[in-house]
Amino acid sequence: MTRPIRLAISGASGRMGRALLDLVRDDGRFELVGAVVSSHSAHLGKSAYGDVSPVRFSEWNDVEGIDVWVDFSGPEGLALALDRCEASGAALVTGTTGLSADLEQRLSRAAERIAVLRAANFSLGVAVLTRLLREAAAALPGWDLDIVEAHHNRKEDAPSGTALALGHAAAAGRGATLDELAVYAREGRPGARKAGTIGFAVVRGGDIVGEHQALLMGQGERIELGHRATDRSIFARGAIEAAAWIAGRAPGSWTIEDVIAANV
């Protein structure tokens, strides 16, 4: 595009939303035209940057003429963003997780008409971790595999979207689906581990940004693959690059790996 990309951010008052606002403010590729919050938000009507900026936290119906929506709100907010994108033809970038089966299907159908880029995690390091885990799971099909993830105490969904994405990659490496292999809880006396399963463990506490570890366990040896995020801005930077990449893109379901491949 020769003009700046007209961008709206939904979930703009949250942790990720504020990180995105900080990055967009100084990025000449974009024109921020919407900082969307819920109708009950205490930020509604206030300046998005706490100064005389003309962009104010607003509701959905107050934003028009968008090229790309970046959504880090929640399932309900994502559904509203999707409504607006489908009506206008705008592209959608979303990192919202914890979606229902119906919303998953809506996103898949929408990708037939608009460009949709979904990622459980916009970190370059996590993208590499996902690739490594897929290859390791394929190379060591007889090894036990567990995924351990930790996040701050305000995170609502579990396991995290990133942990699930890692599980899907590992299952694909073994020629199966995560639905076939996943074990999400162990308690009481569940008996011996069933061969080939992928276990999950969840930690919630403090202000942990995000940690993911994959344990591949054989007889007498173990491989540990992990990623630790200490700064939330790494996710925001990835999402902004995804927004720049997808602007004007053809309809389809895109991933962060597509963005990375284009920049290699």
Side-chain angles (χ1 to χ4, degrees):
M1 290 187 175
T2 56
R3 59 171 176 78
I5 298 166
R6 291 173 60 83
L7 188 75
I9 298 170
S10 48
S13 63
R15 293 183 179 186
M16 274 297 297
R18 290 187 177 279
L20 289 164
L21 288 173
D22 288 342
L23 290 176
V24 171
R25 185 175 195 174
D26 299 319
D27 194 326
R29 295 175 296 176
F30 300 98
E31 176 187 356
L32 179 67
V33 294
V36 177
V37 295
S38 75
S39 59
H40 306 295
S41 173
H43 300 278
L44 194 62
K46 297 180 180 179
S47 170
Y49 293 110
D51 52 22
V52 295
S53 167
V55 179
R56 297 187 175 276
F57 290 111
S58 63
E59 296 185 68
W60 299 90
N61 293 333
D62 297 329
V63 181
E64 301 290 344
I66 305 303
D67 297 315
V68 181
W69 282 86
V70 178
D71 173 81
F72 282 89
S73 56
E76 292 183 4
L78 173 56
L80 291 170
L82 187 56
D83 288 340
R84 301 302 302 276
C85 289
E86 289 187 289
S88 66
L92 173 66
V93 173
T94 180
T96 296
T97 58
L99 309 185
S100 67
D102 287 344
L103 189 49
E104 292 276 4
Q105 291 175 1
R106 274 200 63 197
L107 284 166
S108 296
R109 291 195 300 268
E112 298 174 3
R113 299 180 296 278
I114 62 172
V116 176
L117 192 152
R118 298 178 59 196
N121 192 307
F122 282 88
S123 158
L124 174 61
V126 168
V128 174
L129 172 62
T130 303
R131 184 180 303 174
L132 292 173
L133 179 55
R134 184 186 298 114
E135 294 175 357
L140 303 167
W143 287 32
D144 296 326
L145 170 59
D146 273 13
I147 296 170
V148 183
E149 59 99 340
H151 284 84
H152 55 86
N153 57 20
R154 294 166 57 187
K155 186 170 179 62
E156 296 182 359
D157 58 315
S160 70
T162 301
L164 292 173
L166 290 169
H168 283 293
R174 292 180 169 176
T177 68
L178 187 58
D179 288 341
E180 295 172 317
L181 303 182
V183 174
Y184 295 110
R186 299 188 183 105
E187 60 181 337
R189 295 179 60 86
R193 179 175 189 143
K194 183 179 178 181
T197 55
I198 298 174
F200 289 84
V202 173
V203 176
R204 292 288 178 268
D207 61 353
I208 300 172
V209 174
E211 300 178 7
H212 295 85
Q213 185 179 38
L215 305 175
L216 292 108
M217 298 160 283
Q219 297 300 310
E221 57 184 328
R222 179 171 73 231
I223 293 176
E224 299 181 8
L225 301 172
H227 178 270
R228 178 176 297 172
T230 58
D231 183 351
R232 195 171 301 278
S233 68
I234 65 171
F235 310 124
R237 286 196 296 271
I240 287 300
E241 291 307 313
W245 181 86
I246 204 171
R249 191 73 51 179
S253 292
W254 304 97
T255 70
I256 191 65
E257 291 187 3
D258 293 318
V259 180
I260 293 170
N263 293 327
V264 171

mmCIF file of all heavy atoms in Angstrom, residues 30-47:
data_model
loop_
_atom_site.group_PDB
_atom_site.id
_atom_site.type_symbol
_atom_site.label_atom_id
_atom_site.label_comp_id
_atom_site.label_asym_id
_atom_site.label_seq_id
_atom_site.Cartn_x
_atom_site.Cartn_y
_atom_site.Cartn_z
ATOM 1 N N PHE A 30 1.626 2.634 9.686
ATOM 2 C CA PHE A 30 0.246 2.511 10.123
ATOM 3 C C PHE A 30 -0.379 3.861 10.460
ATOM 4 O O PHE A 30 0.309 4.792 10.893
ATOM 5 C CB PHE A 30 0.160 1.621 11.369
ATOM 6 C CG PHE A 30 0.659 0.230 11.161
ATOM 7 C CD1 PHE A 30 1.949 -0.125 11.545
ATOM 8 C CD2 PHE A 30 -0.145 -0.739 10.578
ATOM 9 C CE1 PHE A 30 2.414 -1.413 11.362
ATOM 10 C CE2 PHE A 30 0.313 -2.031 10.387
ATOM 11 C CZ PHE A 30 1.595 -2.363 10.778
ATOM 12 N N GLU A 31 -1.692 3.890 10.298
ATOM 13 C CA GLU A 31 -2.504 4.969 10.840
ATOM 14 C C GLU A 31 -3.510 4.325 11.801
ATOM 15 O O GLU A 31 -4.378 3.563 11.379
ATOM 16 C CB GLU A 31 -3.256 5.715 9.731
ATOM 17 C CG GLU A 31 -4.183 6.796 10.261
ATOM 18 C CD GLU A 31 -5.059 7.411 9.176
ATOM 19 O OE1 GLU A 31 -4.885 7.048 7.986
ATOM 20 O OE2 GLU A 31 -5.926 8.234 9.525
ATOM 21 N N LEU A 32 -3.384 4.609 13.071
ATOM 22 C CA LEU A 32 -4.304 4.041 14.055
ATOM 23 C C LEU A 32 -5.617 4.805 14.003
ATOM 24 O O LEU A 32 -5.666 6.000 14.269
ATOM 25 C CB LEU A 32 -3.707 4.128 15.460
ATOM 26 C CG LEU A 32 -4.589 3.576 16.577
ATOM 27 C CD1 LEU A 32 -4.752 2.064 16.437
ATOM 28 C CD2 LEU A 32 -3.995 3.922 17.947
ATOM 29 N N VAL A 33 -6.682 4.102 13.662
ATOM 30 C CA VAL A 33 -7.990 4.746 13.566
ATOM 31 C C VAL A 33 -9.006 4.152 14.527
ATOM 32 O O VAL A 33 -10.143 4.605 14.584
ATOM 33 C CB VAL A 33 -8.541 4.690 12.122
ATOM 34 C CG1 VAL A 33 -7.674 5.509 11.193
ATOM 35 C CG2 VAL A 33 -8.633 3.255 11.619
ATOM 36 N N GLY A 34 -8.601 3.131 15.284
ATOM 37 C CA GLY A 34 -9.530 2.539 16.234
ATOM 38 C C GLY A 34 -8.809 1.852 17.366
ATOM 39 O O GLY A 34 -7.899 1.051 17.144
ATOM 40 N N ALA A 35 -9.197 2.198 18.598
ATOM 41 C CA ALA A 35 -8.701 1.530 19.799
ATOM 42 C C ALA A 35 -9.941 1.058 20.543
ATOM 43 O O ALA A 35 -10.534 1.796 21.326
ATOM 44 C CB ALA A 35 -7.857 2.472 20.649
ATOM 45 N N VAL A 36 -10.363 -0.168 20.258
ATOM 46 C CA VAL A 36 -11.688 -0.640 20.661
ATOM 47 C C VAL A 36 -11.643 -1.324 22.027
ATOM 48 O O VAL A 36 -10.776 -2.148 22.298
ATOM 49 C CB VAL A 36 -12.246 -1.611 19.597
ATOM 50 C CG1 VAL A 36 -13.596 -2.168 20.031
ATOM 51 C CG2 VAL A 36 -12.376 -0.898 18.252
ATOM 52 N N VAL A 37 -12.616 -0.961 22.861
ATOM 53 C CA VAL A 37 -12.795 -1.589 24.172
ATOM 54 C C VAL A 37 -14.271 -1.934 24.333
ATOM 55 O O VAL A 37 -15.109 -1.534 23.522
ATOM 56 C CB VAL A 37 -12.340 -0.653 25.316
ATOM 57 C CG1 VAL A 37 -10.845 -0.409 25.243
ATOM 58 C CG2 VAL A 37 -13.105 0.664 25.277
ATOM 59 N N SER A 38 -14.592 -2.656 25.366
ATOM 60 C CA SER A 38 -15.985 -3.033 25.594
ATOM 61 C C SER A 38 -16.794 -1.827 26.049
ATOM 62 O O SER A 38 -16.251 -0.818 26.519
ATOM 63 C CB SER A 38 -16.085 -4.138 26.645
ATOM 64 O OG SER A 38 -15.857 -3.604 27.929
ATOM 65 N N SER A 39 -18.103 -1.938 25.919
ATOM 66 C CA SER A 39 -18.991 -0.841 26.295
ATOM 67 C C SER A 39 -18.976 -0.567 27.794
ATOM 68 O O SER A 39 -19.425 0.486 28.247
ATOM 69 C CB SER A 39 -20.423 -1.153 25.846
ATOM 70 O OG SER A 39 -20.882 -2.359 26.439
ATOM 71 N N HIS A 40 -18.436 -1.506 28.582
ATOM 72 C CA HIS A 40 -18.385 -1.343 30.038
ATOM 73 C C HIS A 40 -17.011 -0.877 30.530
ATOM 74 O O HIS A 40 -16.817 -0.714 31.724
ATOM 75 C CB HIS A 40 -18.733 -2.663 30.723
ATOM 76 C CG HIS A 40 -20.039 -3.258 30.280
ATOM 77 N ND1 HIS A 40 -21.251 -2.640 30.519
ATOM 78 C CD2 HIS A 40 -20.320 -4.385 29.597
ATOM 79 C CE1 HIS A 40 -22.221 -3.387 30.024
ATOM 80 N NE2 HIS A 40 -21.682 -4.448 29.445
ATOM 81 N N SER A 41 -16.091 -0.646 29.605
ATOM 82 C CA SER A 41 -14.731 -0.309 29.996
ATOM 83 C C SER A 41 -14.650 1.082 30.623
ATOM 84 O O SER A 41 -15.269 2.039 30.146
ATOM 85 C CB SER A 41 -13.797 -0.366 28.782
ATOM 86 O OG SER A 41 -12.507 0.105 29.126
ATOM 87 N N ALA A 42 -13.847 1.195 31.673
ATOM 88 C CA ALA A 42 -13.614 2.489 32.305
ATOM 89 C C ALA A 42 -12.788 3.407 31.408
ATOM 90 O O ALA A 42 -12.714 4.626 31.646
ATOM 91 C CB ALA A 42 -12.890 2.280 33.639
ATOM 92 N N HIS A 43 -12.166 2.849 30.363
ATOM 93 C CA HIS A 43 -11.328 3.644 29.458
ATOM 94 C C HIS A 43 -12.127 4.283 28.323
ATOM 95 O O HIS A 43 -11.599 5.132 27.604
ATOM 96 C CB HIS A 43 -10.234 2.763 28.854
ATOM 97 C CG HIS A 43 -9.327 2.156 29.863
ATOM 98 N ND1 HIS A 43 -8.261 2.827 30.425
ATOM 99 C CD2 HIS A 43 -9.317 0.923 30.436
ATOM 100 C CE1 HIS A 43 -7.638 2.049 31.284
ATOM 101 N NE2 HIS A 43 -8.249 0.881 31.306
ATOM 102 N N LEU A 44 -13.367 3.886 28.149
ATOM 103 C CA LEU A 44 -14.180 4.347 27.025
ATOM 104 C C LEU A 44 -14.211 5.874 26.971
ATOM 105 O O LEU A 44 -14.521 6.543 27.958
ATOM 106 C CB LEU A 44 -15.593 3.796 27.160
ATOM 107 C CG LEU A 44 -16.499 3.885 25.935
ATOM 108 C CD1 LEU A 44 -15.922 3.072 24.780
ATOM 109 C CD2 LEU A 44 -17.900 3.383 26.276
ATOM 110 N N GLY A 45 -13.867 6.424 25.796
ATOM 111 C CA GLY A 45 -13.890 7.864 25.596
ATOM 112 C C GLY A 45 -12.607 8.572 25.942
ATOM 113 O O GLY A 45 -12.416 9.737 25.574
ATOM 114 N N LYS A 46 -11.687 7.896 26.622
ATOM 115 C CA LYS A 46 -10.426 8.524 26.990
ATOM 116 C C LYS A 46 -9.422 8.412 25.843
ATOM 117 O O LYS A 46 -9.531 7.541 24.985
ATOM 118 C CB LYS A 46 -9.852 7.867 28.243
ATOM 119 C CG LYS A 46 -10.730 8.038 29.477
ATOM 120 C CD LYS A 46 -10.109 7.358 30.678
ATOM 121 C CE LYS A 46 -10.982 7.522 31.917
ATOM 122 N NZ LYS A 46 -10.385 6.837 33.098
ATOM 123 N N SER A 47 -8.439 9.292 25.834
ATOM 124 C CA SER A 47 -7.404 9.244 24.806
ATOM 125 C C SER A 47 -6.645 7.933 24.884
ATOM 126 O O SER A 47 -6.315 7.450 25.967
ATOM 127 C CB SER A 47 -6.429 10.408 24.978
ATOM 128 O OG SER A 47 -5.302 10.246 24.133
#
